[in-house]
Amino acid sequence: KQEVTQIPAALSVPEGENLVLNCSFTDSAIYNLQWFRQDPGKGLTSLLLIQSSQREQTSGRLNASLDKSSGRSTLYIAASQPGDSATYLCAVRPEDSNYQLIWGAGTKLIIKP
Amino acid sequence: DAGVIQSPRHEVTEMGQEVTLRCKPISGHNSLFWYRQTMMRGLELLIYFNNNVPIDDSGMPEDRFSAKMPNASFSTLKIQPSEPRDSAVYFCASSASGTPVVFFGEGSRLTVL
């Protein structure tokens, strides 16, 4: 059974620092992996999607990497800003499903001004 | 496009009452999902519709929960009778055929007293 883990559960860093959020999964048979952002009281917004054949995706200050064989993904945030404060969730789509997403519990990120 | 629209945003009700949550997916999207989010269990898929047809309802907790999608632009999730353990944030999400990105509504926060 696929399990997705995100460590740490919470992270607080000063503004301007580069940081890495981690996501691990137990079954490498995935179709893709997505990183989402959730602001308090809001829905989830897709940030980056990495197909299983890809190693990384970039969008602005965000870079997501995928190492499928080791069951790991990282989300790198460069030059963090207070506006980056949110909960970040990763989700994997199993190879045998075209709609199911297996979710991590998220990392709550606080960027201190 | 206005995105996925959910109503009500907040609902407080007493145990035993019927609750109906509503969702309007993004126009042109043919996949619709209902999720539930709690601190204890994270995000859980309740039901998945494709082209208005329920494909996977294995996540629906019990017979008290029902979901309908009478047309491509409207879906409801009903809980009858409601119980305190149903208190959660319920998200509706939609996606277009052939694209893996899922768009979430802002959620309906349900509190059952």
Side-chain angles (χ1 to χ4, degrees):
Chain A
K1 178 187 172 188
Q2 177 74 271
E3 292 183 359
V4 179
T5 303
Q6 292 186 248
I7 295 173
L11 181 64
S12 180
V13 300
E15 179 179 4
E17 282 198 5
N18 304 324
L19 60 99
V20 174
L21 305 181
N22 298 296
C23 173
S24 61
F25 46 95
T26 56
D27 187 344
S28 62
I30 66 169
Y31 182 66
N32 62 44
L33 182 146
Q34 297 185 62
W35 283 93
F36 291 83
R37 168 183 174 140
Q38 184 175 23
D39 293 284
K42 300 289 187 181
L44 286 77
T45 301
S46 180
L47 297 173
L48 289 165
L49 182 148
I50 312 177
Q51 300 289 1
S52 62
S53 59
Q54 297 175 320
R55 297 285 290 183
E56 65 179 315
Q57 283 286 336
T58 298
S59 176
R61 294 182 294 107
L62 305 180
N63 175 276
S65 69
L66 175 63
D67 184 341
K68 200 173 82 160
S69 61
S70 69
R72 292 179 182 177
S73 176
T74 61
L75 179 66
Y76 174 83
I77 302 177
S80 58
Q81 304 170 357
D84 296 329
S85 299
T87 297
Y88 291 81
L89 296 95
C90 69
V92 300
R93 176 157 292 170
E95 278 184 354
D96 59 357
S97 174
N98 64 353
Y99 65 90
Q100 185 70 263
L101 289 174
I102 311 299
W103 295 86
T107 295
K108 183 175 182 178
L109 176 64
I110 297 174
I111 307 298
K112 298 175 289 186
Chain B
D1 200 313
V4 177
I5 300 172
Q6 292 187 243
S7 65
R9 290 295 316 280
H10 302 274
E11 175 92 7
V12 179
T13 190
E14 293 189 347
M15 182 174 62
Q17 295 299 305
E18 178 179 295
V19 174
T20 299
L21 307 179
R22 298 172 176 80
C23 174
K24 176 179 169 52
I26 293 174
S27 177
H29 284 191
N30 63 340
S31 292
L32 184 138
F33 309 83
W34 281 100
Y35 284 91
R36 179 171 67 177
Q37 186 178 41
T38 61
M39 289 292 292
M40 289 295 294
R41 300 171 69 93
L43 269 163
E44 303 172 279
L45 177 64
L46 299 177
I47 189 167
Y48 161 59
F49 290 89
N50 185 256
N51 292 324
N52 312 337
V53 176
I55 303 300
D56 181 357
D57 66 355
S58 60
M60 295 288 263
E62 49 199 271
D63 291 346
R64 298 185 297 106
F65 285 68
S66 62
K68 294 182 179 180
M69 192 165 186
N71 58 62
S73 59
F74 184 66
S75 177
T76 60
L77 178 68
K78 185 175 293 186
I79 308 172
Q80 166 64 14
S82 58
E83 297 182 3
R85 60 192 168 119
D86 302 331
S87 297
V89 181
Y90 292 81
F91 287 104
C92 177
S94 69
S95 66
S97 177
T99 66
V101 180
V102 180
F103 294 83
F104 281 76
E106 295 201 327
S108 294
R109 180 175 294 276
L110 173 64
T111 302
V112 183
L113 303 174

